[in-house]
């Protein structure tokens, strides 16, 4: 069994530093935090209390509920989850929910009957139906890629997610410093509090901080986050815009691919005429041409952290839970053009 001493030795830090990293202390530098988290992931370390309790279980199951199991983002998260739970003898039961509330509640109940010890879940929204179910059934749950909403009753739940608002704000600043002033936005449904509303809020925040004009004719919201939705969003902007934007910030990579597809069909050159950015760093992002400038997040480490938080709950029912913010990285590729002096 890997101990905290093993992690400290491998990372070249003290045991107290490892403890501070796992407790998200701001006193640890980002460089040290990254090194320690990488060692934790590689060694598959979990806190002793959780590991000890897990070791004495016979039938150990964890439910994982994702809206789309073909999505590479969830694949990366699942690898991280498995790297922590598999060495402890846990069996992972994976359910595909399509982001539908009825299916999510159905699978939660089915998994409860199978006596799973906890859940890790990605959900389009987190309605009160979820939180009431968790409160009633007292099954620990960790959300990934979504933020916990405020809820009056105490629930054994945590979240692992990037700061979507700040990440998109950073992308606006990046485009601005590349000379872009007319920045369009193609977003998903605002009913999705994380990938929908927070990313739109980040766009608005960035535009205001850069003192750029917010043009409603180059903002489009779609019902989902697919390639077709990005195509439709770019079509709407093309039809309604009084002046074509110099860049389009899309709420995810799939939408960005759809936007690029529309522009190809209409002889608009990317990035010479219009630059495009996405979010996720999906497998498509590096493969398409031009390769897509995007934001990488939800890596293996996100799954590792989600599994570790779940084990904390299993070991200690009084664990208070947390909203853990994962790091993200802006990746500049071919789809963004540098404009000289802000001109087209």
């Amino acid at each position: 069994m890997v101990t905290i001493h093993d992690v400290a030795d491998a990372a070249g830090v003290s045991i107290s530093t490892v403890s501070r990293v796992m407790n998200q202390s701001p006193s640890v530098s980002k460089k040290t935090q990254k090194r320690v988290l990488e060692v934790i992931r590689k060694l598959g370390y979990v806190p002793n209390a959780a590991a000890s309790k897990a070791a004495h279980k016979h039938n150990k199951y964890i439910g994982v509920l994702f809206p789309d199991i073909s999505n590479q983002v969830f694949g990366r998260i699942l690898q991280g989850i498995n790297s922590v739970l598999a060495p402890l003898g846990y069996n992972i039961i994976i359910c595909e929910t399509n982001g539908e509330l009825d299916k999510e509640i159905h699978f939660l109940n089915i998994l409860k009957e199978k006596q799973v010890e906890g859940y890790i879940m990605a959900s389009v929204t987190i309605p009160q139906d979820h939180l009431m179910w968790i409160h009633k059934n007292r099954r620990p749950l960790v959300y990934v890629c979504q933020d916990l909403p405020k809820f009056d009753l105490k629930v054994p739940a945590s979240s692992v997610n990037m700061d979507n608002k700040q990440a998109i704000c950073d992308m606006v600043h990046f485009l601005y410093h590349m000379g872009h002033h007319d920045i369009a936005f193609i977003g998903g449904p605002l009913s999705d509090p994380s990938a929908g509303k927070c990313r739109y809020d980040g766009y608005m925040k960035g535009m205001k901080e850069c003192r750029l004009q917010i043009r409603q004719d180059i903002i489009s919201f779609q019902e989902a986050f697919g390639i077709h939705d990005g195509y439709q969003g770019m079509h709407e902007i093309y039809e309604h815009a009084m002046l074509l934007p110099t860049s389009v910030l899309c709420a995810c990579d799939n939408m960005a691919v759809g936007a690029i597809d529309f522009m190809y069909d209409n002889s608009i050159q990317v990035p010479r005429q219009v630059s495009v950015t996405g979010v996720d760093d999906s497998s498509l992002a590096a493969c398409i041409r031009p390769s897509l400038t995007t934001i990488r997040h939800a890596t293996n480490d996100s799954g590792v952290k989600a599994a570790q938080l779940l084990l904390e709950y299993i070991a200690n029912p009084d664990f208070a839970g947390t909203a853990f913010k994962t790091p993200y990285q802006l990746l500049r590729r071919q789809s963004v053009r540098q404009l000289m002096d802000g001109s087209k």
Side-chain angles (χ1 to χ4, degrees):
M1 185 69 66
V2 177
T3 69
I4 193 171
H5 297 274
D6 298 325
V7 174
D9 289 342
V13 298
S14 66
I15 294 173
S16 60
T17 297
V18 176
S19 178
R20 286 197 295 271
V21 169
M22 296 196 68
N23 287 295
Q24 306 170 49
S25 171
S27 64
V28 183
S29 70
K30 290 185 177 180
K31 182 178 180 180
T32 300
Q33 183 184 55
K34 182 178 180 180
R35 184 169 74 252
V36 171
L37 288 174
E38 179 64 16
V39 170
I40 288 172
R41 184 187 69 79
K42 287 183 178 179
L43 297 182
Y45 170 73
V46 293
N48 283 341
S52 176
K53 183 169 183 177
H56 290 88
K57 296 287 184 179
H58 296 292
N59 297 315
K60 301 182 293 185
Y61 296 100
I62 296 295
V64 174
L65 297 87
F66 286 159
D68 179 6
I69 60 175
S70 68
N71 188 310
Q72 187 187 28
V73 169
F74 298 133
R76 294 195 298 247
I77 294 172
L78 184 59
Q79 287 177 332
I81 293 170
N82 192 59
S83 72
V84 172
L85 297 180
L88 296 176
Y90 276 99
N91 298 291
I92 299 175
I93 303 175
I94 304 171
C95 303
E96 186 173 38
T97 66
N98 301 120
E100 298 174 13
L101 176 60
D102 290 345
K103 284 188 177 181
E104 290 167 349
I105 297 297
H106 169 73
F107 282 128
L108 286 171
N109 285 321
I110 292 295
L111 292 171
K112 177 188 172 185
E113 292 176 5
K114 293 185 177 295
Q115 298 183 333
V116 300
E117 294 186 40
Y119 309 86
I120 296 174
M121 182 174 184
S123 180
V124 176
T125 61
I126 305 179
Q128 289 209 356
D129 301 56
H130 276 189
L131 301 177
M132 285 298 296
W133 190 97
I134 302 166
H135 175 75
K136 177 182 177 181
N137 292 280
R138 306 307 301 170
R139 290 292 199 282
L141 191 151
V142 177
Y143 286 99
V144 290
C145 300
Q146 194 59 274
D147 297 318
L148 279 172
K150 293 181 179 179
F151 189 60
D152 292 336
L153 301 175
K154 182 180 178 182
V155 293
S158 283
S159 63
V160 177
N161 196 15
M162 77 166 175
D163 187 337
N164 280 276
K165 183 176 181 179
Q166 189 57 49
I168 302 304
C169 179
D170 290 348
M171 184 64 87
V172 173
H173 278 269
F174 165 74
L175 290 170
Y176 174 73
H177 289 299
M178 292 290 285
H180 295 271
H181 292 177
D182 293 315
I183 304 174
F185 179 78
I186 300 177
L190 295 180
S191 58
D192 182 327
S194 184
K197 188 175 188 308
C198 280
R199 292 183 186 179
Y200 172 64
D201 289 345
Y203 167 77
M204 295 294 287
K205 179 174 183 278
M207 294 292 284
K208 291 174 182 177
E209 288 180 356
C210 294
R211 298 183 180 180
L212 298 176
Q213 180 185 5
I214 297 170
R215 294 171 46 194
Q216 295 301 321
D217 61 325
I218 58 173
I219 297 175
S220 174
F221 298 106
Q222 301 300 309
E223 294 182 358
F225 295 92
I227 293 175
H228 169 78
D229 302 287
Y231 191 102
Q232 180 62 30
M234 192 64 224
H235 184 195
E236 291 175 4
I237 290 172
Y238 181 75
E239 291 292 328
H240 300 148
M242 298 180 63
L243 182 67
L244 201 63
T246 65
S247 60
V248 180
L249 195 166
C250 299
C252 70
D253 288 353
N254 282 344
M255 299 183 104
V257 171
I260 291 173
D261 193 23
F262 174 85
M263 285 188 271
Y264 176 84
D265 287 347
N266 290 272
S267 301
I268 302 170
Q269 295 183 2
V270 178
R272 192 178 73 81
Q273 290 175 273
V274 179
S275 295
V276 181
T277 70
V279 181
D280 288 338
D281 191 30
S282 66
S283 57
L284 285 174
C287 295
I288 63 169
R289 291 295 178 267
S291 56
L292 186 64
T293 294
T294 186
I295 295 171
R296 176 184 291 165
H297 70 106
T299 63
N300 288 21
D301 288 341
S302 302
V304 168
K305 186 62 184 180
Q308 290 172 340
L309 287 174
L310 191 64
L311 289 172
E312 287 279 1
Y313 273 123
I314 292 171
N316 178 16
D318 295 325
F319 179 57
T322 185
F324 182 82
K325 291 301 180 185
T326 58
Y328 58 86
Q329 181 183 6
L330 197 157
L331 302 175
R332 179 182 174 183
R333 296 196 178 107
Q334 300 168 343
S335 65
V336 173
R337 177 191 174 204
Q338 172 82 57
L339 299 184
M340 302 305 295
D341 301 323
S343 64
K344 297 180 186 178

